[in-house]
Structure formats: C-alpha cells, structure tokens
Amino acid sequence: MNWYPWLNQAYRQLVSMYQEGRGHHAILLHASQGMGADALSYGLSRWLMCQNKQGSKSCNECHSCRLMLAETHPDWHILQNEKGKSSIGIEAVRKVTEKLEHHAQQGGSRVVWIKEVEALTEAAANALLKTLEEPPVNCYFLLNCQQPEILLATLRSRCFYYHLAPPEMNYAIHWLQQQLPNMAYADGVTALNLSQGAPVLALSLLKQEWQEREAFCQALYVSLQQRNLYGLLAQFNQDNAERKIYWLLSLLLDALKRQTHAEVYCVNQDKQPLIMALSQLPSAMLLAVSESWKQCRHQLVTIPAINKELLLAEQLLDWEAQLVALGK
C-alpha cells in the first residue's frame, strides 16, 4: 500500500497518543477521497499489532509484523461492504464482535478496521455500539469516513475524532510535480481545487481524465460562441455525466466570482478564457442555470430509472433558449 508524505505528521500524532497512554480505543478518521486514509489506517494497524515496536515504527520482523505484511493476521479484522453491495449489514458486524469475545490468537492486540463507516446500515451501527462502549482489552477500532455528519451521534460520541486535512497547496503541487514532471502549474492548482485539495485524487484526475476535461471545456466554449448548447449533448450523455456536470458547475461559479472581481478564488485557474466568456452572461442567468444543473445532477444520482438523455437534452435546450432570448 502506497505511503504519502503528508501522512507523516498525522501518523506521529496518533502514535504518540498511544505511547503517552492517551490513545483511544476507537479512532474516527475523517478524510476526503484521495487523501490516503487507507494507508494511514494500515500503518496504525501495523504499529498497534507489532510485538516489538521501534519507537513510532513497527519492527517489520516479529511474527505479527510478518502476518500483517502478508495481510493474513488472524487478529486484524477488516469490515467493508461485500462485492456488489453498497452497505455493511448487521451479520458482518456480529461475526467480528463474536470473534472479539475470544482471546487474541497471537496473544497481542486486535484491530478492527472499518474502511467506510457510512456503509454500515443503521442496524449494523447499533450492533457495533455496545462493543465500542465496552471494548475488550487491547482491542482497537479504526473507522474511516468521508461524511461524519451522517453517522449516528451515538457512534461518533464513542470515538476519538481525527480530521486528516489536505496539505498546503504548494506542498501538494510539489508532490504532483514529482509524479508528473511536465505538469503545468495551473493544471496542478486546478486539479487540486477540483479534488478538494486531495493530492491522490488530483493525480488520478490529471492522469485519467484531464484530456477528456480539455475536450469538454473546448466544446463548451465553442457552443457558447455559436449559441448551440444542445450540441453538447454528446459530451454529457455518457457514463460520467455527473462528473461533467460537476466540472460545469465549477465553471459557472467561477464566472460569478469573476463578475465580483474574485478571480483569485476561481477553481479552474487553467480556463480563464472560458470563464471570461461565461462571465459575460447575466448573473441571474448564471445563478438560475447553476441551480438547474444541481437539480439535474441530483436526479441522475438518486433516480436509477431516469431517462438520462432526455433529462440532459431538456437542460441544454432550456439554457440555449435563454441564450437566444438574450441575443434578441
């Protein structure tokens, strides 16, 4: 599992709590996608399970470390949704908690790692509460989450909350440039902005979707000039329609920022000509179109059987009609 340099401080802070006798038996690790939270949880698991700790590092040589490296440690339990399922049910939680009632097979610590706490059903979360409230000796829980606000308050209250904040922009840019030596600075800033500052997610965007985003932005610019927004339907009507709507919304909001002379806060620092073109539209139109696209994206995400092509076509035709009316 890849380790990232911005995890070092968080790792040292959490480990030092245990070294000083202040460590909590359950850590709720809040981190956005692309921050490397899985690597941090795995690193903490390794240290907690090590039988011959070397300060803040695991020894890599004891029997527990060798089992952890092979990911076969019998006292290391991973709870995650099964393939093809979006939730973690109560039976999965019960199986783990029943195992915790017995002694550790290796005689040391036991760690339960829940990769996505939000995936717990309400029944599963409730089943976990008693164990969190009265944990067995030398038993630790590492709970990863992206949206702690949707968790049960009773679950949150039984954990030590830790937020893994994104690294500073210049630090993240430097890391991205190490991964992509030919990356333009503006591209790196934009990718980080679009990824809520998460470097790993930004790197994935730059590697896998950047050319597609370039084509989308170019098509949008041409469509605005020609007042033919319906021509964008082929761009939107794809599997990643929600992603492209997210890109569009960020551009519309950037246009509003430009109108208020707040260009420094624009997300898409690499698309100034396109933002300038959008900023020529009335503020009321930009706000109305943004709200309409937000609703469209919500429908695409929440209504499985919706006619995506029809919905997108209506959105584009409505916006095109507003542009035509503006030019009359």
Side-chain angles (χ1 to χ4, degrees):
M1 188 173 294
N2 292 331
W3 184 261
Y4 306 104
W6 58 86
L7 300 178
N8 291 335
Q9 182 179 1
Y11 176 82
R12 287 193 293 265
Q13 286 178 341
L14 292 170
V15 166
S16 67
M17 290 170 52
Y18 292 105
Q19 290 176 316
E20 296 167 7
R22 300 181 293 108
H24 200 281
H25 67 274
I27 294 178
L28 181 62
L29 179 59
H30 173 202
S32 59
Q33 180 186 0
M35 279 297 298
D38 281 3
L40 179 57
S41 292
Y42 176 69
L44 287 172
S45 297
R46 290 267 309 275
W47 187 84
L48 288 167
M49 302 293 275
C50 180
Q51 296 172 335
N52 186 28
K53 298 177 179 62
Q54 308 295 308
S56 62
K57 296 182 179 179
S58 49
C59 71
N60 295 331
E61 296 178 357
C62 68
H63 186 55
S64 283
C65 279
R66 290 197 295 270
L67 289 172
M68 286 296 293
L69 288 168
E71 298 188 3
T72 57
H73 202 300
D75 298 319
W76 184 48
H77 308 286
I78 300 177
L79 261 178
Q80 59 186 332
N81 51 305
E82 296 178 9
K83 188 175 182 180
K85 295 184 178 180
S86 59
S87 61
I88 303 172
I90 188 171
E91 287 304 317
V93 172
R94 283 175 175 167
K95 285 181 181 179
V96 169
T97 54
E98 286 173 4
K99 291 179 181 178
L100 299 179
E101 294 175 0
H102 307 288
H103 293 294
Q105 294 188 37
Q106 296 298 314
S109 298
R110 287 169 289 176
V111 173
V112 177
W113 176 20
I114 306 179
K115 288 192 172 185
E116 186 181 350
V117 188
E118 299 94 325
L120 289 171
T121 64
E122 186 173 352
N126 282 319
L128 185 64
L129 289 178
K130 183 173 176 57
T131 306
L132 286 178
E133 188 171 5
E134 300 177 5
V137 178
N138 290 333
C139 185
Y140 303 94
F141 294 83
L142 302 177
L143 290 71
N144 290 22
C145 74
Q146 295 182 29
Q147 297 176 290
E149 66 278 3
I150 71 172
L151 301 178
L152 293 176
T154 47
L155 181 65
R156 296 199 306 268
S157 67
R158 286 163 172 77
C159 302
F160 174 80
Y161 172 83
Y162 188 91
H163 180 224
L164 181 61
E168 293 183 359
M169 178 64 74
N170 288 338
Y171 186 97
I173 289 290
H174 177 69
W175 181 81
L176 285 174
Q177 288 174 331
Q178 289 180 320
Q179 315 306 311
L180 301 170
N182 297 323
M183 179 195 74
Y185 182 84
D187 287 354
V189 171
T190 300
L192 285 165
N193 287 339
L194 289 169
S195 306
Q196 290 75 52
V200 180
L201 191 59
L203 180 62
S204 176
L205 172 60
L206 287 163
K207 281 184 171 182
Q208 300 176 18
E209 298 181 283
W210 207 245
Q211 290 185 345
E212 187 174 8
R213 176 179 168 274
E214 288 287 327
F216 171 77
C217 290
Q218 180 62 31
L220 175 59
Y221 185 83
V222 171
S223 294
L224 284 171
Q225 302 303 312
Q226 298 176 350
R227 298 184 183 274
N228 175 28
L229 292 174
Y230 182 74
L232 286 171
L233 182 59
Q235 281 283 340
F236 277 108
N237 190 28
Q238 298 178 11
D239 291 339
N240 63 345
E242 298 89 349
R243 185 71 170 160
K244 290 188 174 179
I245 294 174
Y246 172 67
W247 294 341
L248 174 61
L249 286 169
S250 72
L251 290 161
L252 292 170
L253 292 175
D254 281 351
L256 286 165
K257 294 171 189 174
R258 185 177 181 85
Q259 289 180 346
T260 57
H261 308 290
E263 295 91 340
V264 67
Y265 298 108
C266 284
V267 169
N268 301 275
Q269 291 291 331
D270 64 331
K271 294 299 173 191
Q272 293 303 320
L274 176 54
I275 294 171
M276 185 179 296
L278 285 166
S279 69
Q280 303 306 308
L281 303 177
S283 299
M285 180 187 292
L286 290 172
L287 287 168
V289 170
S290 295
E291 186 59 34
S292 180
W293 278 107
K294 285 180 186 177
Q295 293 176 8
C296 174
R297 189 169 185 263
H298 179 72
Q299 288 177 294
L300 288 174
V301 171
T302 59
I303 306 176
I306 197 168
N307 188 323
K308 181 169 67 174
E309 183 174 2
L310 180 59
L311 179 64
L312 292 168
E314 289 177 348
Q315 285 290 127
L316 292 167
L317 286 172
D318 180 64
W319 189 9
E320 183 177 308
Q322 294 181 55
L323 279 180
V324 172
L326 186 65
K328 289 183 179 178

